Amino acid sequence: MDNSLQLKKRLISNALNLCKNKSLTGIERPSAFLFDKIEMSFYDKTFNNIINNQEYLNRIGKIHPKVPTILEMQSSNSSDAILMNIFAHPEVKDWKPLRDLLSINSNDDIEFGWNPVHENEKWKKTEIDVKIGNSIFEAKLTETDFKSKHLNIVLRYVDVEKLIDLKTLTKDEIVSNYQLIRNIVTAKKYGYKFHLLIDDSRTDLRNEFDKVKNSIIDKSLANSIELITWQQISTCVSVDLKEFLTEKYF
């Protein structure tokens, strides 16, 4: 079973129901539903907060990589959209259950698209989906994997061989799960915790996460790495946002 494909179908179906129930409009495609306007992808309280925050507003302006006539977060498949629906909500810091789940504090700054410094990255910089205090998060929804890179590129990260047993992740000089490795190296460098956020249907991504976590040599580092599902998060937010997340995503 293709977990990503099944999830895409669910998200399209949910989007069609949203449009029917709330008089929204958009275009159904085989792999995604594209909302006509960016605000249709967001819960109203979240979107109102976004348009009053210039950094957030810049963030939602990213162009879709495959459909240059729309914004990336107009797609039902956008992991950035579900991330911002939650963490750009004006009340997010008030939800103690969420703070406890993610080990964050009410006074922590929230920064989308944070760029850590890695000396080996001269051109394409690592981008962390969101940093909250001393925790960093990688958001996934329908993405098929965590990308692969040649071993020579991975070895350029400082002390990566001391942190992770790369032999277990390498075949024919190609290292799998590069994005997870990069996030783990970042967490170690800055002394942060790292959380992967996925839909609970993505057993394929969970298996890859477990594979990488089991390859971590530094056990204290391994203990700071955690997988959390969007469904778990939805139980820790306000009732109205939970209803929106359930209708649009679950």
Side-chain angles (χ1 to χ4, degrees):
M1 178 186 296
D2 187 324
N3 296 117
S4 175
L5 180 59
Q6 292 300 315
L7 179 54
K8 287 177 181 179
K9 290 180 178 179
R10 184 220 295 171
L11 295 172
I12 291 172
S13 176
N14 289 354
L16 289 170
N17 286 331
L18 260 178
C19 288
K20 180 179 179 181
N21 295 335
K22 298 186 177 182
S23 299
L24 304 179
T25 53
I27 301 171
E28 180 183 358
R29 294 199 171 190
S31 62
F33 185 89
L34 308 177
F35 292 98
D36 281 346
K37 297 180 180 179
I38 186 67
E39 56 263 38
M40 295 177 183
S41 285
F42 291 96
Y43 183 54
D44 53 3
K45 285 185 181 179
T46 299
F47 190 73
N48 288 337
N49 196 41
I50 287 172
I51 61 177
N52 288 299
N53 183 311
Q54 190 59 52
E55 290 184 5
Y56 291 178
L57 199 55
N58 292 342
R59 186 71 177 169
I60 69 170
K62 293 190 300 180
I63 301 298
H64 195 291
K66 295 182 179 179
V67 190
T69 56
I70 70 164
L71 302 177
E72 187 271 334
M73 294 187 212
Q74 287 177 241
S75 169
S76 59
N77 295 345
S78 173
S79 53
D80 279 326
I82 186 172
L83 184 74
M84 292 198 74
N85 263 304
I86 297 162
F87 293 105
H89 190 285
E91 300 165 14
V92 63
K93 293 184 180 182
D94 298 333
W95 301 326
K96 187 177 185 302
L98 184 63
R99 300 200 308 268
D100 292 343
L101 176 67
L102 303 180
S103 300
I104 59 178
N105 300 309
S106 58
N107 59 348
D108 284 339
D109 290 332
I110 298 175
E111 183 177 352
F112 294 98
W114 176 65
N115 297 115
V117 175
H118 290 292
E119 290 74 10
N120 59 294
E121 295 181 340
K122 304 301 182 184
W123 294 279
K124 188 172 178 58
K125 306 290 186 180
T126 291
E127 181 178 276
I128 303 299
D129 289 331
V130 66
K131 182 176 84 72
I132 306 175
N134 293 328
S135 292
I136 57 176
F137 299 84
E138 176 82 18
K140 294 296 183 189
L141 197 57
T142 63
E143 292 88 344
T144 56
D145 57 27
F146 298 109
K147 298 185 179 180
S148 299
K149 290 289 182 180
H150 195 278
L151 179 60
N152 288 341
I153 294 176
V154 177
L155 289 174
R156 294 173 187 168
Y157 287 90
V158 175
D159 292 335
V160 65
E161 287 183 289
K162 296 179 181 179
L163 302 176
I164 299 172
D165 181 3
L166 294 176
K167 296 190 296 296
T168 64
L169 306 173
T170 305
K171 182 177 181 181
D172 298 328
E173 300 293 298
I174 301 298
V175 183
S176 62
N177 298 304
Y178 166 70
Q179 290 176 319
L180 293 181
I181 293 170
R182 192 176 58 184
N183 277 282
I184 290 168
V185 171
T186 300
K188 177 63 177 180
K189 177 174 182 177
Y190 287 87
Y192 290 168
K193 294 182 179 180
F194 166 55
H195 302 267
L196 172 67
L197 308 179
I198 65 170
D199 187 88
D200 67 4
S201 69
R202 296 302 304 273
T203 54
D204 53 333
L205 296 184
R206 182 185 294 273
N207 290 340
E208 293 304 310
F209 172 85
D210 289 341
K211 185 188 301 182
V212 175
K213 185 168 182 175
N214 291 334
S215 73
I216 298 176
I217 299 168
D218 183 333
K219 295 309 174 186
S220 64
L221 176 60
N223 291 334
S224 70
I225 309 302
E226 187 175 7
L227 182 151
I228 296 174
T229 68
W230 297 116
Q231 284 81 354
Q232 285 177 280
I233 289 176
S234 73
T235 67
C236 300
V237 304
S238 61
V239 173
D240 53 347
L241 179 60
K242 180 181 179 181
E243 290 176 352
F244 172 82
L245 295 174
T246 301
E247 188 174 11
K248 186 171 189 281
Y249 295 104
F250 310 145

